[in-house]
C-alpha cells in the first residue's frame, strides 16, 4: 500500500493524476470523507473527475470530531495531537506510515532550503508539555538528519552559547533556527546573539508563550535585530497537526507549498466554491501526503491567494463579526 | 428632575406616540418607511413588523420616564446640550433606535450616520420629531463624509472593539470627532440560552430567539446549554420552527453553508437539525455564522460568561434574563451591560 502513492513526492505523475488516484482511494477507504461527499451530492464518478479547485474539503476539525484513517488494517505508526487546555477536545492525527511523514518533511524543506548545509536549532517553549506535538517530531527529524551533531533543541530560557556558535562557524554551515514565534521573540529580546552569515529564523506562528500583541512585521524585526540577521532572513512556516506537509514564506508574507500540496481560498459562506485570486476567504488545502488520513481539508484560517499559487495567512476567520452590530468602515466610507 | 430634561422627555414621548400611531395610516412617515424597507428587501417583512410592534409595546406606560429616572445619578443633574454622533449598524431593523432615544432623553442633540441597510425607519421618526419640535438639533446622513469637520466630542459606535481603533483614527483624521472624544462602543455579538431544566414550553421562545432577524442580533441565541441532548428534542424543535417559518418567512430553504455543515455533521456523527435556514448542532465552536447554533451540555451557568466575556450579551433562562425577552427587550435594556442613557448623562 505504501508504494502505491510514493509518486506524490516525485515528478513521475502530475498533481492532477495523483489527485484522481487519491480521491478514488479516499472514497473507498475513508468512510467519513465518503459520507461527507455523498451528503453533498457527489458519487464516485463525479468526485474522481474533479479538478483540485472543485474538490470538497472536509472541515479540519474532523480530526477532533471523528477518526480520519484511510490505511485499512495497517495500524498507525505515529499519532499527533494538537495542544489544548484541560478539558478541551484536541485534534488527533494518526499517521499510518512514519516514512511518509519523514518524506513530506525532508523533501518539503529541501524544495526551499539547502538543509544539508544547515545546523538546525529548535526553540519551542510551550510545546514541551505536549509530547504528541507534530512540530516537535518534525524538528527532531531535521535535527536527526544533520551529521555534525550540533543540531539540537535549545534549553528554554538559556542563551545560545558562544561555544555552540563557534562550533557551527567551524563547520561553515549556517543555522536554521526553528521555533514558535513568541518563544523566539523572548529569546531574541533576552539573549541576543549574532548567528552565522546565511542563517535563517523559521517562525512557526503560534502564540505558545504569548505575552503581548504584536504585528507580524514587528515580530520579524525583533527577530532580525535579536539574531543579527537581515529582515528577509526571517521566514515563516505554515503547518498544523492535521497536515503532514509544510508551506514556507521566505522573507515575505507569501507562503509557497511543495508540489504535492495545493492551496485554494474557499468562500466562507459556501465552502464548495473556490474564490478568485485576491479575494479573502478560508484557506483550503489539498495535501496529498495525507492520503492515509484525509488530504482534503478546509482550515479555519483566513487567507488570500495570488495567481502563482502563493498565499497569505491573515489570521483566524474572525470569530464573531457576523453576529451582532458590526459597523465596517470600508462599507460606510 | 431638571426642567429641561422633563421637557425633553415630553417632547420625545409626543413624537414617539405620533410616529407609532402612523404605522397603519397611509402617507404617515412610519407607514411609508415600513413600506419602503420591505419593498427594498432590506429585511424580511415579518421582522420589520415585529420590530415596530415590539417598540410600540415596550415604550408604553412611562417606560421612558422610568429609564430616565433610573439613569440620573442625581435628580438635578444638568444635561450637556452638545450634539452626539451615533454610528448605527444595520444588522436588524431599528437596531440603533435605543441610542437615538438615549441621546434625545439625555438632552443632547442628535447626529446620526444611519446604515444604508436601514435608512428609512429611523428617519421617519425624525420626520415626526422635527415637525413637532423643530428646535431639537437633529442631523441625519447615510454618508459619514457629510460630517467632515464637525468635531463631535461624544459618539456611540455600533461596532466591535476589533475595528474601533481604525474607525476612530479615520474619523479623527477627517475631523468628524475630536482627538479625545468619548465613545461608547459595542462589544457583544450574541446571547445564549441556559436551559438546565428542559421544559417543552420554552420552544416558541427558543425558536424566536434563534430565528428572528436571521440570528444577526446580539440578543439572538447562538448557543443553547441544555440538560438534555439535542437529539431528544430535535423533532419538537423542527416542528416549532416550521410553525414559526410559515408565519415569518417566504424562503425557508437552507443556504449553502448550512447544507455544507449538515453534510459534515452527518458524516462525522455530530447530531444536528436544520431549522429552515438555520442549523442547530451539538459540539462546540465559537459562534460566528448567524445560521449556525451550537448545543452544549448545561454544566455551569457561569461558564458562558467566563468563556465569552464581553462578546456575550445575555444569558437567558431561569435565574437569568427571561428567554421571552430575547427579541423583546425592555426599553432600558443594557447593551454590553451598559446603560447608554446613563453613560450620556455622565460622560465627560
Amino acid at each position: 500500500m505504501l508504494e502505491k502513492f510514493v509518486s506524490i513526492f516525485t515528478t513521475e505523475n502530475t498533481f492532477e493524476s495523483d489527485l484522481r488516484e487519491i480521491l478514488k482511494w479516499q472514497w473507498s477507504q475513508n468512510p467519513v470523507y465518503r459520507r461527507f461527499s455523498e451528503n453533498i451530492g457527489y458519487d464516485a464518478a463525479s468526485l474522481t473527475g474533479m479538478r483540485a479547485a472543485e474538490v470538497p474539503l472536509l472541515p479540519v476539525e474532523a480530526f477532533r470530531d471523528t477518526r480520519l484513517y484511510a490505511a485499512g488494517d495497517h495500524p498507525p505508526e505515529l499519532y499527533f495531537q494538537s495542544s489544548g487546555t484541560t478539558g478541551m477536545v484536541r485534534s488527533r492525527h494518526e499517521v499510518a506510515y512514519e516514512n511518509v511523514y519523514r518524506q513530506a518533511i525532508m523533501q518539503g524543506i529541501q524544495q526551499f532550503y539547502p538543509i544539508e548545509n544547515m545546523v538546525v536549532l529548535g526553540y519551542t517553549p510551550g510545546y514541551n508539555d505536549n509530547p504528541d506535538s507534530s512540530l516537535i517530531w518534525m524538528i527532531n527529524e531535521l535535527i536527526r538528519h544533520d551529521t555534525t551533531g550540533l543540531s539540537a533543541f535549545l534549553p528554554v530560557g538559556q542563551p545560545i552559547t558562544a561555544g555552540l556558535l563557534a562550533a557551527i562557524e567551524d563547520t561553515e554551515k549556517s543555522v536554521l533556527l526553528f521555533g514558535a514565534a513568541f518563544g523566539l521573540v523572548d529569546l531574541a529580546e533576552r539573549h541576543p546573539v549574532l548567528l552565522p552569515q546565511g542563517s535563517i529564523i523559521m517562525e512557526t506562528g503560534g502564540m505558545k508563550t504569548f505575552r503581548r500583541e504584536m504585528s507580524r512585521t514587528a515580530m520579524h524585526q525583533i527577530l532580525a535585530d535579536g539574531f543579527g540577521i537581515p529582515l528577509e532572513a526571517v521566514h515563516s512556516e505554515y503547518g498544523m497537526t492535521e497536515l503532514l506537509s509544510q508551506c514556507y514564506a521566505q522573507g515575505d508574507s507569501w507562503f509557497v507549498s511543495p508540489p504535492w500540496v495545493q492551496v485554494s481560498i474557499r468562500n466562507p459562506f459556501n465552502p464548495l466554491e473556490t474564490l478568485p485570486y485576491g479575494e479573502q476567504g478560508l484557506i483550503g488545502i489539498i495535501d496529498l501526503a495525507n492520503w492515509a488520513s484525509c488530504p482534503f481539508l478546509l482550515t479555519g484560517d483566513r487567507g488570500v491567494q495570488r495567481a502563482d499559487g502563493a498565499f497569505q495567512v491573515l489570521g483566524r476567520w474572525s470569530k464573531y463579526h457576523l453576529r451582532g452590530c458590526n459597523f465596517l468602515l470600508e462599507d460606510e466610507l | 428632575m431638571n426642567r429641561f430634561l422633563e421637557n425633553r422627555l415630553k417632547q420625545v414621548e409626543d413624537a414617539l406616540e405620533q410616529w407609532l400611531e402612523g404605522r397603519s395610516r397611509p402617507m404617515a412617515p412610519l407607514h411609508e418607511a415600513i413600506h419602503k424597507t420591505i419593498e427594498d428587501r432590506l429585511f424580511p417583512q415579518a421582522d420589520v413588523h415585529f420590530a415596530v410592534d415590539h417598540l410600540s409595546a415596550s415604550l408604553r406606560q412611562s417606560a421612558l420616564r422610568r429609564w430616565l429616572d433610573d439613569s440620573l445619578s442625581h435628580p438635578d443633574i444638568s444635561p450637556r446640550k452638545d450634539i452626539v454622533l451615533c454610528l448605527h449598524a444595520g444588522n436588524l431593523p431599528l437596531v440603533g433606535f435605543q441610542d437615538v432615544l438615549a441621546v434625545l432623553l439625555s438632552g443632547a442633540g442628535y447626529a446620526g450616520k444611519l446604515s444604508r441597510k436601514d435608512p428609512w425607519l429611523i428617519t421617519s421618526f425624525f420626520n415626526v420629531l422635527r415637525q413637532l419640535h423643530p428646535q431639537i438639533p437633529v442631523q441625519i446622513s447615510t454618508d459619514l463624509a457629510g460630517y467632515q469637520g464637525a468635531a463631535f466630542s461624544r459618539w456611540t459606535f455600533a461596532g466591535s472593539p476589533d475595528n474601533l481603533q481604525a474607525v476612530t483614527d479615520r474619523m479623527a483624521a477627517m475631523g468628524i470627532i475630536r482627538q479625545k472624544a468619548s465613545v461608547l462602543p459595542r462589544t457583544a455579538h450574541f446571547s445564549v440560552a441556559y436551559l438546565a431544566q428542559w421544559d417543552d414550553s420554552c420552544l416558541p421562545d427558543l425558536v424566536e430567539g434563534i430565528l428572528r432577524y436571521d440570528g444577526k442580533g446580539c440578543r439572538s441565541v447562538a448557543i443553547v446549554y441544555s440538560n438534555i441532548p439535542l437529539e431528544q428534542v430535535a423533532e419538537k424543535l423542527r416542528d416549532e420552527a416550521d410553525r414559526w417559518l410559515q408565519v415569518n418567512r417566504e424562503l425557508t430553504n437552507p443556504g449553502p453553508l448550512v447544507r455544507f455543515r449538515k453534510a459534515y455533521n452527518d458524516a462525522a456523527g455530530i447530531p444536528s437539525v436544520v431549522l429552515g435556514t438555520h442549523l442547530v448542532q451539538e459540539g462546540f465552536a465559537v459562534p460566528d455564522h448567524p445560521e449556525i447554533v451550537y448545543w452544549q451540555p448545561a454544566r455551569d451557568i457561569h461558564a458562558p460568561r467566563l468563556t465569552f466575556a464581553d462578546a456575550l450579551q445575555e444569558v437567558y433562562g431561569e435565574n437569568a434574563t427571561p428567554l421571552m425577552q430575547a427579541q423583546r427587550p425592555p426599553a432600558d435594556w443594557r447593551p454590553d451591560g451598559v446603560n447608554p442613557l446613563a453613560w450620556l448623562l455622565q460622560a465627560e
Side-chain angles (χ1 to χ4, degrees), chain A residues 4-261:
Chain A
K4 188 174 176 68
F5 296 114
V6 287
S7 64
I8 63 170
F9 296 120
T10 69
T11 52
E12 190 182 317
N13 296 333
T14 63
F15 180 89
E16 296 289 341
S17 72
D18 282 331
L19 172 66
R20 278 194 293 277
E21 289 304 309
I22 289 174
L23 274 164
K24 273 186 212 165
W25 177 259
Q26 283 283 312
W27 180 268
S28 66
Q29 297 294 317
N30 182 341
V32 176
Y33 188 72
R34 178 177 175 150
R35 283 197 300 270
F36 170 66
S37 304
E38 284 175 331
N39 293 343
I40 286 170
Y42 296 122
D43 58 22
S46 58
L47 199 66
T48 51
M50 277 177 177
R51 292 180 303 114
E54 300 162 339
V55 171
L57 304 179
L58 200 64
V60 75
E61 58 264 29
F63 279 95
R64 178 197 65 192
D65 294 335
T66 187
R67 184 175 190 236
L68 292 178
Y69 197 67
D73 294 335
H74 182 87
E77 294 175 1
L78 294 171
Y79 74 88
F80 299 111
Q81 292 197 102
S82 60
S83 54
T85 51
T86 311
M88 190 176 156
V89 182
R90 301 194 287 166
S91 292
R92 181 184 170 94
H93 190 174
E94 294 178 336
V95 179
Y97 300 98
E98 185 178 316
N99 201 40
V100 174
Y101 189 32
R102 188 166 285 132
Q103 275 186 283
I105 293 167
M106 294 313 303
Q107 294 201 33
I109 205 158
Q110 282 163 353
Q111 300 276 334
F112 303 99
Y113 299 98
I115 195 73
E116 314 297 335
N117 296 324
M118 302 180 104
V119 170
V120 176
L121 301 178
Y123 189 71
T124 53
Y127 281 88
N128 298 347
D129 48 5
N130 179 14
D132 306 321
S133 160
S134 57
L135 176 66
I136 299 291
W137 202 95
M138 179 178 83
I139 298 173
N140 251 322
E141 183 60 23
L142 294 171
I143 289 170
R144 204 178 61 84
H145 187 77
D146 175 29
T147 52
T148 65
L150 295 171
S151 291
F153 279 97
L154 297 168
V156 173
Q158 302 297 311
I160 302 175
T161 63
L164 176 60
L165 290 173
I168 294 170
E169 295 269 16
D170 286 347
T171 66
E172 296 187 347
K173 290 190 172 188
S174 58
V175 168
L176 179 60
L177 174 55
F178 238 104
F182 285 86
L184 290 174
V185 168
D186 272 344
L187 189 63
E189 288 183 333
R190 291 181 190 179
H191 307 292
V193 292
L194 279 179
L195 294 180
Q197 203 171 13
S199 295
I200 302 283
I201 305 284
M202 183 67 71
E203 58 91 358
T204 63
M207 317 274 269
K208 300 296 175 190
T209 57
F210 175 77
R211 59 193 162 89
R212 65 180 189 262
E213 280 195 46
M214 193 183 296
S215 72
R216 185 174 180 275
T217 311
M219 179 182 72
H220 281 205
Q221 190 62 58
I222 290 171
L223 296 179
D225 294 345
F227 293 109
I229 58 171
L231 186 60
E232 55 273 20
V234 182
H235 296 188
S236 306
E237 182 248 18
Y238 181 68
M240 58 187 81
T241 304
E242 296 85 349
L243 296 174
L244 294 187
S245 303
Q246 300 77 38
C247 303
Y248 295 96
Q250 296 181 283
D252 58 17
S253 56
W254 292 94
F255 287 90
V256 180
S257 56
W260 57 89
V261 174

Side-chain angles (χ1 to χ4, degrees), chain B residues 195-248:
Chain B
L195 308 171
Q197 300 295 320
W198 178 268
D199 180 339
D200 287 354
S201 64
C202 76
L203 280 165
D205 290 331
L206 182 57
V207 165
E208 180 82 48
I210 291 171
L211 296 180
R212 177 63 65 195
Y213 305 128
D214 296 326
K216 290 175 184 163
C218 68
R219 298 187 63 88
S220 292
V221 173
I223 305 176
V224 181
Y225 294 85
S226 171
N227 62 321
I228 57 173
L230 174 61
E231 278 176 310
Q232 216 170 305
V233 289
E235 204 173 317
K236 289 175 190 168
L237 205 50
R238 194 167 39 225
D239 290 347
E240 187 62 43
D242 286 347
R243 279 192 286 278
W244 190 95
L245 291 161
Q246 271 185 352
V247 176
N248 289 286

